[in-house]
Amino acid sequence: MALPPLRRAVLVAAAAVLAGLVIAPPAAVAAPRPPHVQGTRTVPVYDYSNAIRESVWVTTRLDNDGDGVPDKVAVDLVRPREAAAGRVPVIMDASPYYQCCGRGNESELKEYAADGTVTKFPLFYDNYFVPRGYAFAAVDFNGTSRSTGCGDVGGREEIEGVKAVIDWLNGRGRAAYADGTPARATWTTGKVGMIGKSWDGSVANGVAATGVEGLETIVPISAISSWYDYYRDNGALYTTDGGPHWLSGYVNGRPEEVCQPVRDAILTDSDNATGSFNAFWAERNFVPDARKVKASVFVVHGINDGNVEPKHFAQWWDALAKNRVPRKIWLSQEGHVDPFDFRRSEWVETLHRWFDYWLQDLPNGIMREPMSTIERAPDVWVNEPTWPARGTFTLPVSLGAGDGTAGTLNLTPTRPGTAVSVVDDPTLRERTLVANPNTPIAGRQVFLSAPLPRDLRISGTTTISLRVRVDKPNTELSARLVDYGTATRVNYQGSGEGIRTLTTESCYGASSPTDDACYRDTAKDVVMSDAAVMTRGWVDAAHRDSLSHPTPLQPGRWYTVNFDLMAHDVVLPAGRVLGLVLTVSDTQYTVPTSTGATVQVDLGRSRLGLPVSLAPGATALAETAVAPTVSAVNVTVPSTKMDRDLNRIPIG
């Protein structure tokens, strides 16, 4: 029997209400936060002394020691024991130095108990972050310490070995304890942040360039981005004896005979005889693979680093920017120094917030803050929205003949055909060639600006184009950009590369009976000087057109040679004088393949490309016909330990 319309309508409405009550999902209940998260930061709540400490060996897909067994990477781990911590992310420092050389300003090594249990980790990362709900992993490169395989210095073995650890942490790989029992990383979220200075940071760059899943962020400090550029500059050799074959042996933890064939192959393949770029170096160049990077990147570098030079961070940074990688950068006035030793409290706080954001998903706002932080003068830091400075462009600066003692830098092109000669003097040292620029010195040519009428910001990579005629089939060309003017400067070429180690200590994190969190304090090392070299660059003229295929010069013929100087960032105050110093071979920093040439430079067809910003002072190089008189009696110069003819060791 049909229902009356009114009753049918009431029943339909009631059914709709009832259906809504039945199918509506319950209100979402937020998952309880672990004890180490308070608000938007992690806090130290877990017992560091009682933390789980263990070692595992991760199996790789490689066998470069040729023993028929896959190479294994040793990983020493420390993590909270408390169940309330839940699954935790991992901070990782992969290094070749944990047993041979040590880490940090105090050269700390890993230490082990009699049963092989790791009892001490170098640096503060474990002490500080484990109580805050992180695990810390100290990874030994292949061929070092307790890992098998052989070190190949930036190559496939090194990168794939560390990548295998990240795969294992994300359930994609195999590992075992010392007794062979399988080890599974069920205690981690799989999120990994790599950090490290020098070689440690270099492998972080390389692993990020594989695009491995699970690597959420990297913090490369004074890190290499292309190993060719660590050992050579535009075909100019930095060393012949201390190349990657030597470095592989320096950190080797295997019996000598096991890895000697690998080192022999490295020596052959790196091609010291020509200084050319080839497949060996292409494998160790991470810059082209910046397009694969999925991790965020926090770059830290000294703009006066004479070991891992500023070109490494600059070319890596530019590639990351081109690929829109989330990033942040700190640039200091020091040399090859960890920020823990030049800006300790601010560094620990910033790093803490960085890892909390990327590894713990805490919305602390760090990515809304200025991208760039730069040390303008000793302990004077400024924040800026980007790097290089916004609005930077290349200002072409002409080279002029001047008054016969020093040439000029100005904006008016010199008349074509005006030439100067430089006769190579391989004995010249930087102290001599930079000092007293108005005094003629055989073997150099100096070009000076007028005193700057207002501040000048240089930000980025300076380029130079020289039109030259040479009386030999090959020669090296060297250039330095100099700041002439009295100032208190960071003594980056002193024994501490800009810092002094004090007798007092400060502590960051928790300690255990075998691993304390206290480190020697440091202070800025400064010097009053009348001039300082800002940036340098070299080129082997036979490599002028190609790094891979050198071609000799025909004596008497004119050639255009273009090359870059190291990246830099500086604000030169009004009244300073900008100088360009040209020399031929540089035996202090490089190992020239040819010396003794006479080089003519056509000033009218030579240029300096200066990266300046649109800030006041962008065109502050006043035109002048005669260079100003500059007396330099106290010049910041390199100490003997900075000479490039010594072995190159990227130790932090």
Side-chain angles (χ1 to χ4, degrees):
M1 183 178 66
L3 293 174
L6 179 58
R7 186 175 180 187
R8 186 167 61 245
V10 170
L11 288 175
V12 169
V17 171
L18 182 61
L21 290 174
V22 171
I23 66 172
V29 178
R33 286 192 163 191
H36 62 267
V37 174
Q38 292 185 11
T40 59
R41 67 186 287 119
T42 57
V43 295
V45 297
Y46 304 122
D47 185 352
Y48 176 75
S49 293
N50 194 40
I52 295 173
R53 292 168 173 82
E54 59 186 353
S55 302
V56 302
W57 279 259
V58 174
T59 300
T60 75
R61 297 179 297 173
L62 307 175
D63 177 23
N64 81 336
D65 58 11
D67 63 358
V69 178
D71 299 334
K72 293 179 174 59
V73 175
V75 185
D76 292 312
L77 293 156
V78 55
R79 55 190 173 89
R81 185 176 298 274
E82 292 86 345
R87 292 175 178 256
V88 296
V90 179
I91 295 171
M92 177 191 297
D93 187 345
S95 177
Y97 296 132
Y98 282 127
Q99 286 299 295
C100 81
C101 320
R103 305 307 299 124
N105 191 37
E106 298 173 39
S107 300
E108 291 186 309
L109 300 171
K110 286 182 185 177
E111 295 180 8
Y112 299 90
D115 64 358
T117 302
V118 61
T119 57
K120 178 179 175 61
F121 292 86
L123 306 175
F124 77 100
Y125 306 134
D126 55 314
N127 308 87
Y128 187 85
F129 285 104
V130 170
R132 289 170 166 80
Y134 291 85
F136 177 68
V139 180
D140 296 318
F141 284 5
N142 290 92
T144 71
S145 191
R146 301 197 293 177
S147 294
T148 65
C150 297
D152 60 355
V153 187
R156 182 168 178 260
E157 177 87 5
E158 182 173 298
I159 302 304
E160 290 295 327
V162 177
K163 175 180 176 291
V165 179
I166 298 174
D167 285 335
W168 171 70
L169 290 168
N170 282 273
R172 300 187 299 268
R174 293 184 297 113
Y177 297 107
D179 63 2
T181 305
R184 296 180 177 83
T186 57
W187 44 265
T188 178
T189 63
K191 290 190 173 187
V192 179
M194 292 186 68
I195 188 170
K197 180 193 166 194
S198 201
W199 199 347
D200 302 14
S202 308
V203 78
N205 285 340
V207 173
T210 69
V212 60
E213 295 287 346
L215 183 59
E216 300 295 321
T217 190
I218 64 171
V219 184
I221 302 167
S222 302
I224 294 166
S225 57
S226 167
W227 281 87
Y228 177 88
D229 292 322
Y230 182 70
Y231 284 108
R232 299 164 191 184
D233 191 24
N234 302 303
L237 293 167
Y238 289 155
T239 180
T240 53
D241 297 329
H245 66 287
W246 178 89
L247 192 56
S248 175
Y250 185 78
V251 300
N252 181 49
R254 309 294 309 285
E256 286 297 320
E257 66 277 7
V258 171
C259 292
Q260 190 60 49
V262 173
R263 291 195 292 276
D264 291 342
I266 291 174
L267 178 59
T268 300
D269 295 345
S270 58
D271 190 16
N272 271 338
T274 66
S276 294
F277 185 88
N278 57 21
F280 174 88
W281 297 109
E283 180 182 313
R284 291 158 174 80
N285 181 10
F286 311 133
V287 177
D289 286 330
R291 67 186 186 280
K292 300 179 184 177
V293 173
K294 299 174 183 176
S296 63
V297 183
F298 188 172
V299 170
V300 182
H301 217 105
I303 59 172
N304 292 310
D305 193 334
N307 187 333
V308 180
E309 296 157 318
K311 61 183 170 183
H312 287 277
F313 87 77
Q315 61 193 7
W316 184 234
W317 180 263
D318 289 346
L320 296 171
K322 193 174 297 183
N323 289 279
R324 301 182 182 277
V325 173
R327 62 201 183 281
K328 187 175 180 66
I329 190 168
W330 271 25
L331 297 177
S332 77
Q333 292 278 330
E334 282 68 32
H336 200 60
V337 181
D338 193 293
F340 188 75
D341 295 314
F342 62 68
R343 203 184 184 210
R344 184 167 297 180
S345 294
E346 294 86 350
W347 170 243
V348 174
E349 172 62 18
T350 303
L351 186 64
H352 180 185
R353 296 177 64 233
W354 183 264
F355 281 145
D356 276 0
Y357 181 89
W358 288 104
L359 300 181
Q360 301 273 4
D361 297 321
L362 298 180
N364 54 28
I366 195 167
M367 294 306 292
R368 295 194 300 271
E369 296 171 0
M371 181 185 294
S372 170
T373 301
I374 303 174
E375 188 177 17
R376 282 268 166 262
D379 286 326
V380 177
W381 294 83
V382 296
N383 293 320
E384 298 196 345
T386 188
W387 190 88
R390 183 167 288 170
T392 296
F393 68 99
T394 300
L395 179 70
V397 179
S398 174
L399 311 185
D403 61 0
T405 59
T408 60
L409 294 175
N410 50 59
L411 301 179
T412 302
T414 302
R415 179 175 58 85
T418 302
V420 296
S421 292
V422 188
V423 179
D424 186 19
D425 181 358
T427 67
L428 269 181
R429 309 293 280 181
E430 190 167 272
R431 179 187 298 274
T432 300
L433 64 90
V434 168
N436 304 310
N438 293 103
T439 301
I441 295 178
R444 75 169 187 185
Q445 284 287 340
V446 181
F447 303 88
L448 301 172
S449 74
L452 300 175
R454 55 189 182 273
D455 295 352
L456 175 66
R457 172 77 179 274
I458 299 173
S459 182
T461 299
T462 296
T463 60
I464 188 167
S465 178
L466 298 176
R467 185 72 172 171
V468 298
R469 185 165 58 185
V470 184
D471 66 350
K472 285 194 169 190
N474 194 20
T475 188
E476 188 174 277
L477 299 172
S478 307
R480 287 164 169 82
L481 201 61
V482 185
D483 169 17
Y484 287 106
T486 302
T488 298
R489 298 177 169 96
V490 172
N491 186 22
Y492 68 90
Q493 290 169 319
S495 60
E497 301 196 42
I499 63 167
R500 293 181 293 109
T501 302
L502 308 178
T503 58
T504 58
E505 286 188 334
S506 56
C507 304
Y508 287 81
S511 297
S512 73
T514 58
D515 192 336
D516 72 84
C518 303
Y519 295 87
R520 297 277 291 277
D521 294 318
T522 61
K524 199 76 64 173
D525 181 15
V526 298
V527 61
M528 179 72 74
S529 63
D530 298 316
V533 177
M534 294 183 290
T535 178
R536 306 165 179 84
W538 305 268
V539 64
D540 176 78
H543 286 86
R544 66 197 176 278
D545 297 323
S546 170
L547 291 180
S548 301
H549 299 92
T551 54
L553 295 81
Q554 295 182 22
R557 177 179 170 183
W558 288 98
Y559 294 90
T560 297
V561 180
N562 302 310
F563 60 105
D564 294 343
L565 308 188
M566 301 300 159
H568 201 68
D569 197 289
V570 65
V571 175
L572 298 179
R576 295 278 182 87
V577 171
L578 181 66
L580 173 66
V581 180
L582 298 180
T583 57
V584 186
S585 61
D586 183 352
T587 56
Q588 184 176 356
Y589 280 77
T590 67
V591 183
T593 57
S594 176
T595 60
T598 296
V599 179
Q600 289 182 291
V601 182
D602 183 345
L603 301 183
R605 291 182 172 87
S606 299
R607 292 285 182 279
L608 184 68
L610 209 59
V612 298
S613 72
L614 291 174
T619 58
L621 289 177
E623 298 173 13
T624 179
V626 179
T629 298
V630 176
S631 297
V633 295
N634 179 24
V635 180
T636 303
V637 295
S639 61
T640 302
K641 78 179 195 64
M642 295 292 289
D643 287 3
R644 285 278 174 64
D645 53 7
L646 301 178
N647 289 325
R648 301 274 284 163
I649 309 174
I651 296 176

